[in-house]
Amino acid sequence: MAPIQLPVGKRKGAPSHEADDIATSSDEEFDGDLLDGALSGSDAESNDEGSSLDEDDESDESHESNDSDDGDEGEGGSDFGGQHHTADDDALDSDEIPSDRGADLNGHPRTSMRGSRKFLSKSNGGLVQISGGTLQGREASLPSRGDEPVTAARGDARGGDARGDARGDARGDARDAADAPNFSDASSDVRYTVTTDANGNPRYLYDEISPVYDSDDSDAPRTTNTIGNIPLSFYDSYPHVGYDIDGKKVMRPAKGEALDALLDSIEVPKGWTGLTDPATGKPLELSQEELEVLRRIQANEIPEEGYDPYPATVEYFTSKTEQMPLSAAPEPKRRFVPSKHEAKRVMKIVRAIREGRILPYRPPVEDEEDETAPKRYDIWANEAPRPDHLMHIPAPKLPIPSYDQSYNPPREYLPSEQEKKAWRETEEEEREKEYLPTRYDSLRKVPGYDRFTKERFERCLDLYLAPRIRRNKLNIDPDSLLPKLPSPDELRPFPTTCATIYRGHEGRVRSLAIDPSGVYLATGGDDGTVRLWDLLTGRQLWSLRLDADEAINVVRWRPTADAFILAAAAGPHIFFVVPPIVDPAVEDASHAILDTGFGYAAQTKTFTTTSSTPSKEPPATWMRPSSALADAGALLRVTVRAPIKVLSWHRRGDYLTSCSPSGQTSSVGMHTLSKHLSQLPFRRLKGLAQSVLFHPSKPILFVATQQTVRSYDLQRQQLLQIVQPGARWISSIALHPAGDNLLVGSYDRRLLWHDLDLSPKPYKTLRYHAKAIRAVAFHQGAYPLFADASDDGTLQVFHGKVVADAMQNASIVPLKVLKGHKVTGLLGVLDLCWHPREPWLVSAGGDGCARLWT
């Protein structure tokens, strides 16, 4: 039979002449397919060789047929004894090389040494001597399986070493060893199975130990990896992570791609932890028992199932009466002999009963009650404290006696002779005290109180006539009744500080106004002059004395920006002034507006009055002032019947209304600037007019008398509404920019807010001033602010927000009290005005100065 040529690889412990042959081999010979083919060929050839050796053996004819059958089975994948094995059992380790049993390292065929082999066998192993040489190994005997004794030998090299290395040349064929005689005891237990490894050497596979009930390893976990304490990092460069108990490699699990990891994370199996077992390299999965322990720990429960944290209390002393006493000592004699001391006490009691000193108990005799006598009930017989109840009314307590009720009061409490005489002469019902304090040397000298019976009777009468109904008072926190207003800091900006002071007038500053551009401030005072100031710097720019005898009661700017015209009232005269400090184009336009009416008046040559009688006095006279005033800027003068206190411009700047409180029926006048025409709209007015005001967007005129405010439709010439503030004397009025809320100030220190769509009565009444309110004003810009001026020298700034929702009321919040004006001649702040765009406020005071608040 031809020898088998195997690929030469790296061997552990190979001789030096073999290493040279190994180095000359090509790396391509280690291809996986070629190596598997060599192993399969080696097994086949070894089986055939075993068959040929058995055929040449003439002495063992009885085994020839069995060996030939084994050879046939070997070709089909059988092992000794008829056991089947797979390719995994014969897999080649990475550091193992199959031994060349059919040829030596040089490729020469190896002759059979079966005939010269000698077996020295023991039951548990020994030495095998072959051709004068010795091979160290273990020998195990198995009982014959099917009349075939089997003897297997296993080499020392195991695990990852090169089993069946160069020392395998001295060994024989494994099949030859199987034909050796069996010296072991046939009655021993079989606990392993003999197979061949990749080199053809015998391999022992021990059966798994199934522990019995008394085994200590019954609960021990099965160790999958048997490498011991060797770090797993040593196996990072190998495809396996260790070896199991059978010597098989524990392969490292393949790592999937990112998509597989994503799919595994989406479909999480039960017991998945996302961790890797370091001993096996496989995903770590928890059992149901471990998951239950984790659940108990998370729920703050005892991990051990069935543990009762609250066991039943076992009493140390039970109620059961034990039969055995605590002490077995006999009873003392004194417990059975009668006591002489007790006998003496008993005889003493018997003697007292005989002598009558101790009477026996007899039940009390009940007295028969007179049925005719009235029954009396004392509802306050028991004064013990009782819980509060509607049907329980505690008895009223008497006041605690004071020092003057003592029998020896201090001397300061004793009345004099005059006080005693006055007390006796006073009627009994009018006396402050029902007794006179009296001093006694000692308590035994105090006589009986002569009024005791009468006072007790009066007290009982009061209690009898007292009502028996309890009236519960409502425990309401006063702060809870107040509306929840926002903080003033959240409602900024609003004026808080005096920025500029304007001084120059001689006497009081009665009125002031800021022009529509917000740059100039006009003031009028008791000295009859009109002064123009720079609003920010406080510098006086222009001044004109209109009347030497009359004070300037009111100044108002024309509300349009196309002209620069100021209306000032001094006595019964209205002066239209164009200060020469503006652009010449604006000044010329202002002159043209004032001169337009002269041509219209020349054409008509008549005065329009409300009366048809031409002999009556005209409502007003339009003329040019003196040349000196005309050169200074006063271009037009209108004279009415009574001194003017209030002026109000229409939003278009062509109409001006005036109010003269002392004018009776001619107190309200309507003046048309473009026609130089004046009218008296009211033939008869109920009450004295105090102020007039145009509606900001509608043809409505508001006229305030002493106690009411009336609104009139100028187109239809009819009365629309009568507002009743409830004030004694109205001083001024102001209208919200939206035109639906009215503000009224009165001389009786009240500020009243009216919602014209809600009711003629005031919505809010504010009392924050100690003296009369002189003026009120709304901010006409984008800020929800309003203010009032009072004779106490202060200004009160408010936040008044009006919403379009009809279901929501206006919110009014006091913001700031501005103090700075001095009260002079019982007059404080006389007038105020808001800046058209900024949250600034200017005020005119009776101390002769004006102030700017920012």
Side-chain angles (χ1 to χ4, degrees):
M1 183 175 180
I4 301 173
Q5 181 70 30
L6 295 177
V8 180
K10 182 179 179 181
R11 282 182 166 180
K12 293 183 181 180
S16 60
H17 65 274
E18 295 178 0
D20 298 337
D21 297 338
I22 294 172
T24 58
S25 64
S26 175
D27 294 337
E28 295 179 358
E29 295 180 359
F30 289 92
D31 186 73
D33 298 337
L34 180 60
L35 192 62
D36 294 341
L39 292 176
S40 60
S42 176
D43 293 340
E45 293 295 329
S46 63
N47 292 335
D48 294 340
E49 182 181 358
S51 300
S52 61
L53 292 175
D54 291 340
E55 289 175 358
D56 295 337
D57 193 0
E58 296 177 358
S59 62
D60 298 334
E61 293 180 0
S62 63
H63 297 284
E64 183 176 357
S65 60
N66 296 334
D67 293 338
S68 62
D69 293 339
D70 294 339
D72 296 338
E73 292 178 0
E75 296 177 358
S78 303
D79 203 352
F80 298 104
Q83 287 188 345
H84 296 276
H85 62 88
T86 61
D88 295 337
D89 298 333
D90 298 337
L92 180 64
D93 294 342
S94 60
D95 53 354
E96 293 178 356
I97 299 298
S99 62
D100 300 332
R101 295 184 296 107
D104 57 5
L105 294 176
N106 298 326
H108 301 292
R110 189 184 307 156
T111 59
S112 178
M113 303 172 63
R114 176 180 179 140
S116 60
R117 290 181 181 177
K118 297 179 180 180
F119 291 87
L120 300 177
S121 176
K122 296 181 180 180
S123 61
N124 292 331
L127 297 178
V128 179
Q129 183 176 3
I130 303 174
S131 300
T134 61
L135 175 64
Q136 185 178 2
R138 279 192 306 179
E139 200 174 72
S141 300
L142 290 94
S144 61
R145 298 182 182 180
D147 299 332
E148 180 184 359
V150 179
T151 302
R154 183 170 57 179
D156 290 341
R158 297 187 61 184
D161 298 337
R163 287 169 295 193
D165 52 4
R167 289 178 297 178
D169 296 337
R171 299 177 184 177
D173 191 0
R175 295 295 302 268
D176 297 338
D179 295 335
N182 187 6
F183 298 97
S184 62
D185 189 7
S187 64
S188 62
D189 296 336
V190 179
R191 295 186 180 181
Y192 54 87
T193 304
V194 180
T195 60
T196 57
D197 56 6
N199 299 326
N201 296 326
R203 183 178 181 181
Y204 296 88
L205 297 180
Y206 289 89
D207 296 339
E208 295 184 358
I209 300 174
S210 51
V212 294
Y213 67 94
D214 55 350
S215 175
D216 295 338
D217 297 335
S218 58
D219 295 334
R222 177 178 176 83
T223 305
T224 307
N225 200 343
T226 60
I227 61 174
N229 296 329
I230 298 177
L232 291 176
S233 59
F234 290 0
Y235 290 87
D236 290 344
S237 59
Y238 294 97
H240 56 281
V241 295
Y243 301 91
D244 59 4
I245 194 170
D246 297 329
K248 296 181 181 181
K249 294 181 180 179
V250 179
M251 303 304 296
R252 190 188 309 275
K255 297 182 179 179
E257 299 294 333
L259 182 59
D260 296 338
L262 177 62
L263 293 177
D264 293 341
S265 63
I266 293 175
E267 299 178 0
V268 178
K270 188 173 183 180
W272 180 83
T273 60
L275 305 176
T276 303
D277 190 357
T280 61
K282 297 181 180 180
L284 178 62
E285 295 184 0
L286 301 179
S287 62
Q288 184 64 28
E289 292 76 9
E290 294 172 342
L291 292 176
E292 181 65 20
V293 171
L294 291 178
R295 186 195 67 78
R296 289 175 177 272
I297 293 175
Q298 291 180 351
N300 292 332
E301 297 179 1
I302 304 300
E304 183 180 356
E305 185 177 1
Y307 175 77
D308 187 8
Y310 306 103
T313 304
V314 179
E315 299 293 343
Y316 186 77
F317 294 99
T318 62
S319 59
K320 183 179 179 180
T321 303
E322 301 293 341
Q323 297 297 330
M324 177 63 67
L326 296 179
S327 176
E331 293 290 338
K333 183 179 179 180
R334 64 176 178 272
R335 297 188 182 180
F336 302 97
V337 177
S339 175
K340 295 182 179 180
H341 176 70
E342 292 180 359
K344 290 181 180 181
R345 293 187 60 185
V346 171
M347 291 306 298
K348 186 177 181 180
I349 296 173
V350 171
R351 194 179 300 110
I353 293 175
R354 290 175 180 176
E355 294 177 357
R357 292 184 282 110
I358 297 179
L359 298 178
Y361 171 78
R362 293 179 182 179
V365 179
E366 297 182 0
D367 297 336
E368 296 182 359
E369 297 181 357
D370 189 2
E371 297 180 357
T372 60
K375 295 182 180 181
R376 298 177 177 86
Y377 299 94
D378 188 0
I379 61 175
W380 293 305
N382 184 12
E383 289 296 330
R386 297 170 59 184
D388 192 11
H389 193 269
L390 293 177
M391 301 305 295
H392 172 61
I393 302 176
K397 303 298 182 181
L398 291 176
I400 301 175
S402 59
Y403 289 105
D404 56 354
Q405 294 180 353
S406 173
Y407 75 93
N408 189 11
R411 295 186 180 274
E412 58 268 16
Y413 288 95
L414 296 176
S416 61
E417 295 296 334
Q418 296 179 357
E419 292 176 350
K420 292 180 180 179
K421 183 179 180 181
W423 182 82
R424 293 189 184 98
E425 294 178 355
T426 307
E427 296 292 335
E428 187 176 355
E429 291 79 8
E430 297 179 1
R431 294 174 181 174
E432 295 182 1
K433 297 181 180 180
E434 298 180 356
Y435 59 91
L436 278 177
T438 308
R439 186 173 185 179
Y440 299 96
D441 295 338
S442 61
L443 186 60
R444 60 185 177 85
K445 295 183 179 181
V446 177
Y449 185 46
D450 55 349
R451 296 179 53 84
F452 177 80
T453 305
K454 185 177 181 179
E455 287 186 359
R456 290 299 170 182
F457 172 76
E458 292 178 353
R459 171 173 168 78
C460 294
L461 184 62
D462 293 340
L463 295 177
Y464 173 73
L465 298 178
R468 294 297 189 269
I469 300 175
R470 169 168 293 191
R471 294 180 175 88
N472 294 328
K473 295 182 180 180
L474 297 178
N475 297 325
I476 299 177
D477 187 9
D479 297 337
S480 63
L481 302 178
L482 299 176
K484 295 181 180 180
L485 300 177
S487 174
D489 295 336
E490 301 175 0
L491 304 177
R492 293 184 181 274
F494 54 85
T496 58
T497 308
C498 180
T500 309
I501 301 177
Y502 311 92
R503 291 188 175 94
H505 281 280
E506 299 175 0
R508 306 183 186 93
V509 180
R510 290 189 173 270
S511 181
L512 48 76
I514 301 176
D515 74 307
S517 64
V519 179
Y520 304 103
L521 172 66
T523 59
D526 287 347
D527 55 359
T529 60
V530 176
R531 300 175 186 267
L532 206 64
W533 312 79
D534 186 285
L535 182 64
L536 297 179
T537 62
R539 183 170 60 91
Q540 181 177 325
L541 303 177
W542 176 79
S543 176
L544 176 62
R545 186 178 296 274
L546 297 179
D547 198 328
D549 299 330
E550 297 289 343
I552 305 299
N553 293 322
V554 58
V555 292
R556 292 292 181 265
W557 288 97
R558 188 172 183 266
T560 59
D562 57 347
F564 193 70
I565 300 175
L566 176 66
H573 308 292
I574 303 175
F575 295 91
F576 294 92
V577 183
V578 181
I581 60 171
V582 294
D583 186 51
V586 178
E587 185 177 356
D588 294 341
S590 303
H591 285 217
I593 292 175
L594 295 178
D595 294 339
T596 303
F598 286 108
Y600 182 83
Q603 293 177 4
T604 57
K605 295 182 181 180
T606 58
F607 295 96
T608 302
T609 61
T610 58
S611 177
S612 60
T613 304
S615 60
K616 289 186 178 182
E617 183 183 359
T621 302
W622 296 71
M623 63 181 66
R624 291 187 182 274
S626 63
S627 60
L629 294 178
D631 295 340
L635 304 179
L636 185 60
R637 186 183 71 183
V638 180
T639 304
V640 297
R641 298 178 183 179
I644 298 173
K645 298 296 182 181
V646 178
L647 289 177
S648 177
W649 282 95
H650 190 264
R651 67 182 184 279
R652 296 180 181 176
D654 193 24
Y655 298 98
L656 179 69
T657 180
S658 61
C659 179
S660 303
S662 61
Q664 301 297 329
T665 57
S666 61
S667 58
V668 178
M670 193 78 66
H671 312 282
T672 305
L673 187 60
S674 61
K675 299 179 180 180
H676 289 185
L677 183 63
S678 298
Q679 299 177 355
L680 299 177
F682 303 106
R683 183 183 304 174
R684 183 175 62 257
L685 188 63
K686 294 182 179 180
L688 298 178
Q690 301 297 318
S691 182
V692 291
L693 187 65
F694 280 107
H695 194 278
S697 59
K698 298 179 182 179
I700 298 176
L701 181 67
F702 290 87
V703 179
T705 59
Q706 288 183 343
Q707 296 181 356
T708 60
V709 179
R710 289 178 168 85
S711 60
Y712 298 92
D713 192 337
L714 298 179
Q715 290 182 348
R716 300 179 182 178
Q717 298 182 3
Q718 64 182 6
L719 177 65
L720 295 180
Q721 188 178 7
I722 300 177
V723 181
Q724 300 175 354
R728 297 180 181 179
W729 196 310
I730 297 175
S731 62
S732 58
I733 59 175
L735 202 62
H736 192 268
D740 52 357
N741 289 272
L742 182 67
L743 200 62
V744 179
S746 64
Y747 289 112
D748 54 355
R749 302 172 296 175
R750 285 189 291 179
L751 180 65
L752 305 111
W753 178 292
H754 287 267
D755 191 342
L756 300 179
D757 298 335
L758 183 63
S759 172
K761 301 295 182 179
Y763 164 66
K764 288 289 184 181
T765 301
L766 308 175
R767 296 180 179 89
Y768 291 101
H769 291 284
K771 293 186 178 181
I773 296 177
R774 289 283 178 176
V776 294
F778 273 105
H779 193 286
Q780 300 298 321
Y783 297 98
L785 301 173
F786 67 93
D788 59 355
S790 175
D791 280 341
D792 57 3
T794 62
L795 294 92
Q796 183 78 41
V797 182
F798 298 87
H799 177 276
K801 184 178 181 181
V802 179
V803 295
D805 188 6
M807 302 300 294
Q808 187 175 358
N809 297 326
S811 61
I812 302 173
V813 182
L815 296 179
K816 185 69 176 178
V817 178
L818 304 178
K819 299 180 181 179
H821 288 282
K822 297 181 180 179
V823 179
T824 305
L826 301 179
L827 296 178
V829 184
L830 302 179
D831 195 11
L832 56 86
C833 181
W834 287 97
H835 192 276
R837 292 180 301 277
E838 301 294 336
W840 299 344
L841 183 66
V842 289
S843 58
D847 54 356
C849 65
R851 293 175 180 266
L852 171 64
W853 307 87
T854 58

